[in-house]
Amino acid sequence: MPFRPSIRFTLAATFVASFAALLAAGSIGLYVILDRHHRHEFDGRLISTAFAARQMFEMERVQYVDASATTKHIVGELLFSDQSLVAFDSTGELVTWSRRVHGAPVLDDLQPFESEEPVSLQLRLGHFRIVRQPLGEGIDLYVGRDLEQLHDDLADLRWIFVLGLPIILAIGGAIGVWASAIALRPVISLARSAERIGTEIAAGRTDFEHVPPRRPADEVAVLATALNQLIDRLTEALQRERELSDSQRRILADTAHELRTPVTILQSSAEVALAAPRSNDEYRSSLESIAAEAQALGMLVNDLLLLTRRDAQGPLHMPEPLYLDDVVSGCLHRIHALPAADGRQIRIGALEAAPAHADPSLIERAVVALVHNALVHAPESPVELSTGTSQANGWMESWVSVRDWGPGIPPEAHREIFQRFARLDPRSPGTGLGLSIVQLIADTSGGRLELESAPGEGATFTLFVPSSLG
């Protein structure tokens, strides 16, 4: 399995590598600067000694017989623990040399050299740094210093970098690991919150606690805000899913209850017809009963399919230009064919053209459902259909209304009756899906369904849909 470094390891490694690169570059630069400084200081002491000797020569020359005596006096006075002095005359003869001191270089075999510059720095024998300083009257003073001390100082400096850099790098790496742990601690906390939410989802919960906000707002705070927004959407989606699941379970239970009666009647009618030989009229009566129950069963199945398509967000609405008065006229034969319409008075009120933009099959289904609802729940009342147009909020609407003069609907039940399988009187016929189907059609068509009713004053259901006139 390939190695996959953690973010903490990656951050720490990146920090250490970057820190090491910067530290190495800075150390090299610092070493170069310190090397130049040490060399400049090393040469500076030689030059200072040479200039000091020249000044002493000029000041004390008058006190001695000749330049050689003056030079011997000066060299005898200038005593350094790490420098040696020798003087030559114009013929190259050795005039004098400084006393031997431990640590100072031995310049006895030094040969004088020529230079155009008054002060010249040269290396001799590979170990000394020599400066030549003319004193006057043909006398040249040579000041030498052993390079071993410079090399030792630079070696010590190199060892400091060689030994100090790993220690500093180790300390920096430890700081990087510690800092990355602190920086990732909020991220780990968010990960644990996400893990907790996953466990709660598996346990069936639909509401979750938010991640505490961070102060000040930083990148982790942005991540926490996004996670809280995700929690809100997840909570909403799970609650909606739970409500839909509960609704589907109720629908299944209610559907099973509603299907039981027509299926039992169908089975009973068929068993009775098959129990013994019967006349043609008796067989016809049994078949008519079976056909009627099958028709009711088919209507129930169609209603359930329509509701299921809506819940699944399937294709439902196929609008086209139409006139509501034509729809009402076209569905009258279906209304009169309803068993509840036998012997009932169905009146046509004011029928305006009422142009609309809707699905004609859905509008027809809604009108039949509203009329069937009025016939069932207002058994002694006539039923009247009307169409027309109106204006609401600057938009034209077309409407179709179904009115009855029955017992009316109590105000507290105005919302309940639009629920699926809702029946105010369980003894009344029907499935309780009619008004929920009409409400669904109104919503799908971009319209609305309004109810006007009071106890003892009948009920008027009005279906509004967008007008094709705009």
Side-chain angles (χ1 to χ4, degrees):
M1 183 176 179
F3 172 70
R4 293 187 177 90
S6 64
I7 296 179
R8 179 178 177 180
F9 176 84
T10 302
L11 287 176
T14 302
F15 173 81
V16 171
S18 302
F19 183 69
L22 292 174
L23 191 61
S27 300
I28 293 173
L30 180 61
Y31 177 79
V32 171
I33 294 173
L34 292 176
D35 179 87
R36 293 182 60 184
H37 173 74
H38 276 69
R39 294 182 184 276
H40 181 75
E41 183 182 18
F42 187 89
D43 292 340
R45 291 190 59 188
L46 291 174
I47 295 173
S48 297
T49 302
F51 275 111
R54 179 183 176 86
Q55 290 177 352
M56 292 177 64
F57 180 87
E58 293 175 350
M59 291 173 60
E60 298 183 8
R61 174 65 183 86
V62 296
Q63 300 178 12
Y64 294 90
V65 177
D66 55 18
S68 297
T70 306
T71 303
K72 291 178 182 179
H73 172 73
I74 293 172
V75 171
E77 291 293 326
L78 293 174
L79 182 63
F80 300 95
S81 62
D82 59 348
Q83 299 180 34
S84 295
L85 292 80
V86 295
F88 296 90
D89 60 16
S90 58
T91 63
E93 292 294 328
L94 181 64
V95 175
T96 185
W97 61 87
S98 60
R99 286 179 292 175
R100 297 184 183 275
V101 179
H102 179 71
V106 178
L107 303 179
D108 294 353
D109 57 349
L110 179 67
Q111 298 296 323
F113 54 86
E114 297 294 332
S115 175
E116 296 179 358
E117 298 294 333
V119 177
S120 176
L121 293 175
Q122 295 189 14
L123 288 177
R124 286 298 178 94
L125 305 178
H127 300 287
F128 307 137
R129 190 74 162 167
I130 308 296
V131 85
R132 171 181 173 272
Q133 175 63 61
L135 297 180
E137 300 181 23
I139 304 264
D140 288 336
L141 179 68
Y142 292 84
V143 184
R145 189 178 181 189
D146 197 334
L147 287 172
E148 183 179 357
Q149 184 62 45
L150 175 62
H151 294 160
D152 290 343
D153 292 342
L154 294 178
D156 292 342
L157 184 61
R158 287 192 295 270
W159 276 111
I160 290 175
F161 282 111
V162 169
L163 297 179
L165 287 181
I167 297 175
I168 296 175
L169 188 59
I171 296 174
I175 294 175
V177 172
W178 173 75
S180 63
I182 294 179
L184 291 176
R185 189 176 301 164
V187 179
I188 295 175
S189 177
L190 292 178
R192 290 175 179 170
S193 299
E195 183 179 1
R196 170 181 55 80
I197 292 172
T199 303
E200 292 175 351
I201 291 175
R205 288 191 58 179
T206 57
D207 56 327
F208 312 101
E209 296 181 2
H210 279 185
V211 176
R214 283 179 54 82
R215 297 291 186 275
D218 54 8
E219 290 78 3
V220 179
V222 174
L223 180 60
T225 301
L227 182 58
N228 285 332
Q229 293 174 350
L230 179 62
I231 290 173
D232 291 337
R233 288 192 288 267
L234 180 63
T235 300
E236 182 181 354
L238 289 177
Q239 289 177 349
R240 186 168 59 249
E241 186 69 22
R242 178 66 60 82
E243 293 173 357
L244 179 59
S245 178
D246 293 342
S247 175
Q248 290 176 342
R249 283 196 295 269
R250 289 194 300 269
I251 289 175
L252 287 175
D254 293 338
T255 301
H257 176 75
E258 294 297 333
L259 290 176
R260 183 183 303 168
T261 299
V263 170
T264 301
I265 295 175
L266 286 173
Q267 182 179 2
S268 176
S269 299
E271 289 176 352
V272 170
L274 295 173
R278 294 177 175 272
S279 64
N280 290 338
D281 291 339
E282 289 174 332
Y283 278 124
R284 184 177 183 84
S285 177
S286 297
L287 289 175
E288 288 176 350
S289 176
I290 291 174
E293 292 301 328
Q295 181 182 11
L297 186 60
M299 291 178 61
L300 174 60
V301 171
N302 288 335
D303 290 343
L304 289 174
L305 286 176
L306 182 62
L307 294 172
T308 303
R309 286 168 59 193
R310 170 60 182 228
D311 289 340
Q313 297 182 351
L316 181 62
H317 185 44
M318 300 180 64
E320 61 182 66
L322 54 85
Y323 289 92
L324 294 183
D325 59 325
D326 292 340
V327 174
V328 170
S329 299
C331 67
L332 285 177
H333 66 285
R334 289 185 56 187
I335 293 174
H336 288 292
L338 295 172
D342 187 20
R344 299 291 297 276
Q345 183 181 5
I346 300 175
R347 302 192 308 216
I348 302 299
L351 286 184
E352 298 182 14
H357 190 71
D359 189 321
S361 62
L362 292 182
I363 299 302
E364 182 175 341
R365 192 168 188 174
V367 171
V368 173
L370 289 175
V371 173
H372 182 265
N373 180 76
L375 293 174
V376 169
H377 296 286
E380 303 297 331
S381 167
V383 178
E384 182 178 277
L385 291 89
S386 303
T387 62
T389 59
S390 61
Q391 189 172 10
N393 299 323
W395 296 92
M396 291 297 297
E397 294 180 318
S398 296
W399 52 265
V400 55
S401 67
V402 177
R403 182 181 180 186
D404 66 69
W405 288 265
I409 302 172
E412 62 273 12
H414 281 196
R415 294 175 60 87
E416 178 185 350
I417 61 174
F418 295 104
Q419 302 296 322
R420 297 173 183 178
F421 299 104
R423 287 187 293 181
L424 299 182
D425 184 1
R427 297 169 298 177
S428 63
T431 62
L433 292 176
L435 293 180
S436 63
I437 291 291
V438 179
Q439 182 67 66
L440 170 61
I441 292 174
D443 295 339
T444 303
S445 302
R448 66 185 191 279
L449 179 62
E450 291 186 356
L451 167 62
E452 295 181 6
S453 179
E457 298 181 4
T460 300
F461 290 89
T462 304
L463 173 63
F464 292 88
V465 294
S467 174
S468 59
L469 297 179

